Amino acid sequence: MSMYSVIMNNIKMTLNPKDVIISIDRPKILLLKKHIDYLAKYGTDQDDYEYNMTEYLRMSGIYWSLTAMELMGASDRMPKDDIISFISTCQNKESGGISACFPHDPHILYTLSAIQVLTMYNRLDAIDVEGVVKFVASLQQPDGSFYGDIWGEQDTRFTFCAVMCLSLLHRLDAINVDKAVEFVLSCMNFDGGFGSKPGSESHAGLIYCCVGTLSICKRLDALKVDALAWWLCERQLPSGGLNGRPEKLPDLCYSWWVISSLKILNKMRWVDKERLEQFIMACQDPDTGGFSDRPGDITDPFHTLFGVAGLSLLGNNKIKPVNPVYCMPQETIDRLKLKPQML
């Protein structure tokens, strides 16, 4: 993109702060090889400033990159043995939890990312699985919610992480599933959406977490389906992109959070899929590869995964099918014989 186009796009965004205007020179087709090359070389320079500044989320970065590569059929470009060895070093021997990077504290977010990666590689033998089960179970509170770690932050994201993690390990018996569902339902709002805690504002990312939890626990019957689906489809803006809350700019990651939820609810037809696909394509960087949050911004593995996964949900035949609950290749979920509830 030329500097003139970047400047003009920023001016248009300033004049219309609730949406973006997509320049005509943005990509319109999937640049698959560029994305594969982008992820294959991302994070390989350990002297790089960005590499060192993102240490606190390295485990999730591995999950984002590997999942995108799996969906694009290029997981062989990732250093499998090094990744497995790295994950092994991040498990805390005492608690059983897994951290973003040694010697950080273990956290349920990074524990889930590690389990997802090892599940895709079929290498759960590289860690102490019972230690992970013990760690996750220890974080459940009397009201059914989960802390993220020993420091006590409470959030519906952590309930989803706990349920998904133990589901992948076929160990949901280790927690009180009924109480976990009860907590999630206590976070349901009048609009059908969900927030981080009871009474918190509805948010598309947290809706995905709560819908995903209820899908795994087979309790989608408790949802206000039409109200929730309507709230979700209203997230689409004239640009085709989706936002996470009213009055916010679109962000590519909501192409996953919103569309996966609608897929689970069997309501994807309520959004304009063609315009959404155009928005996703426009978020590609034609020079470096990768996807960004909005057209013309800097790319990263997080948005690259959700761009690829969003296109998969929309039916792009160059990308493998993705499971809308686990955000992992459908073939992996089939191998595990997991069947989350879908409407």
Side-chain angles (χ1 to χ4, degrees):
M1 180 185 249
S2 68
M3 182 59 67
Y4 172 78
S5 296
V6 171
I7 293 171
M8 289 305 296
N9 195 46
N10 288 338
I11 291 174
K12 290 173 182 176
M13 284 176 60
T14 302
L15 294 175
N16 184 19
K18 297 177 184 177
D19 199 3
V20 298
I21 297 175
I22 299 174
S23 302
I24 60 172
D25 60 348
R26 296 304 303 169
K28 297 175 179 62
I29 60 172
L30 181 61
L31 308 173
L32 196 67
K33 185 179 183 303
K34 283 188 174 289
H35 303 320
I36 292 171
D37 291 342
Y38 166 76
L39 289 174
K41 68 181 181 181
Y42 190 90
T44 55
D45 181 4
Q46 296 189 12
D47 292 326
D48 182 69
Y49 176 78
E50 185 175 352
Y51 177 87
N52 289 283
M53 288 302 293
T54 56
E55 181 180 271
Y56 68 96
L57 48 70
R58 185 148 303 139
M59 190 67 71
S60 290
I62 292 171
Y63 157 71
W64 300 327
S65 299
L66 177 62
T67 306
M69 292 292 247
E70 286 274 4
L71 293 174
M72 294 187 291
S75 60
D76 60 320
R77 296 284 302 275
M78 299 288 287
K80 178 178 178 179
D81 292 340
D82 291 345
I83 288 172
I84 294 171
S85 176
F86 171 77
I87 293 175
S88 297
T89 67
C90 292
Q91 183 169 29
N92 183 280
K93 304 301 182 185
E94 182 178 343
S95 71
I98 299 173
S99 64
C101 184
F102 180 82
H104 290 228
D105 290 340
H107 194 285
I108 201 164
L109 288 171
Y110 307 119
T111 299
L112 173 60
S113 292
I115 294 301
Q116 289 175 297
V117 169
L118 293 176
T119 298
M120 284 186 278
Y121 277 143
N122 199 18
R123 283 298 312 276
L124 287 170
D125 62 293
I127 57 167
D128 174 10
V129 171
E130 285 304 312
V132 169
V133 173
K134 178 183 118 180
F135 172 72
V136 174
S138 73
L139 296 173
Q140 189 168 29
Q141 304 306 304
D143 65 354
S145 67
F146 284 80
Y147 287 165
D149 55 22
I150 62 172
W151 306 112
E153 183 184 5
Q154 184 187 49
D155 192 314
T156 46
R157 290 175 303 159
F158 306 148
T159 299
F160 182 48
C161 288
V163 167
M164 187 195 292
C165 185
L166 294 179
S167 171
L168 291 170
L169 298 175
H170 295 282
R171 288 300 311 276
L172 278 172
D173 61 291
I175 60 171
N176 189 328
V177 173
D178 290 340
K179 290 295 288 184
V181 169
E182 184 180 317
F183 172 73
V184 167
L185 293 178
S186 74
C187 299
M188 186 189 299
N189 293 320
F190 72 94
D191 53 19
F194 294 85
S196 60
K197 298 175 184 177
S200 295
E201 177 187 10
S202 294
H203 186 282
L206 297 166
I207 287 171
Y208 161 74
C209 292
C210 293
V211 170
T213 298
L214 297 174
S215 173
I216 293 171
C217 297
K218 299 182 170 35
R219 284 300 315 278
L220 293 179
D221 62 283
L223 292 171
K224 303 173 184 176
V225 176
D226 285 351
L228 174 56
W230 183 250
W231 189 94
L232 288 167
C233 76
E234 284 192 316
R235 305 281 58 78
Q236 189 164 37
L237 300 168
S239 65
L242 299 154
N243 63 19
R245 292 175 289 160
E247 303 301 315
K248 296 294 184 179
L249 283 169
D251 187 319
L252 177 64
C253 67
Y254 295 108
S255 302
W256 174 259
W257 313 123
V258 172
I259 296 302
S260 60
S261 298
L262 289 172
K263 177 73 172 177
I264 295 167
L265 301 176
N266 193 26
K267 300 290 187 183
M268 275 184 62
R269 63 188 181 279
W270 286 17
V271 295
D272 188 327
K273 293 190 282 188
E274 184 177 344
R275 283 197 299 131
L276 175 57
E277 183 173 8
Q278 290 173 352
F279 177 84
I280 295 174
M281 294 297 188
C283 292
Q284 300 174 100
D285 190 312
D287 298 320
T288 66
F291 290 78
S292 58
D293 58 347
R294 285 178 278 276
D297 286 355
I298 296 173
T299 60
D300 58 71
F302 174 84
H303 289 95
T304 298
L305 166 59
F306 295 123
V308 170
L311 289 172
S312 176
L313 286 178
L314 293 173
N316 190 295
N317 59 17
K318 293 184 179 179
I319 301 170
K320 292 181 181 180
V322 64
N323 184 276
V325 176
Y326 293 89
C327 196
M328 295 166 66
Q330 183 61 48
E331 60 190 16
T332 300
I333 303 307
D334 290 342
R335 170 169 57 81
L336 296 173
K337 298 182 179 178
L338 295 172
K339 296 187 182 298
Q341 185 184 13
M342 306 279 285
L343 295 183

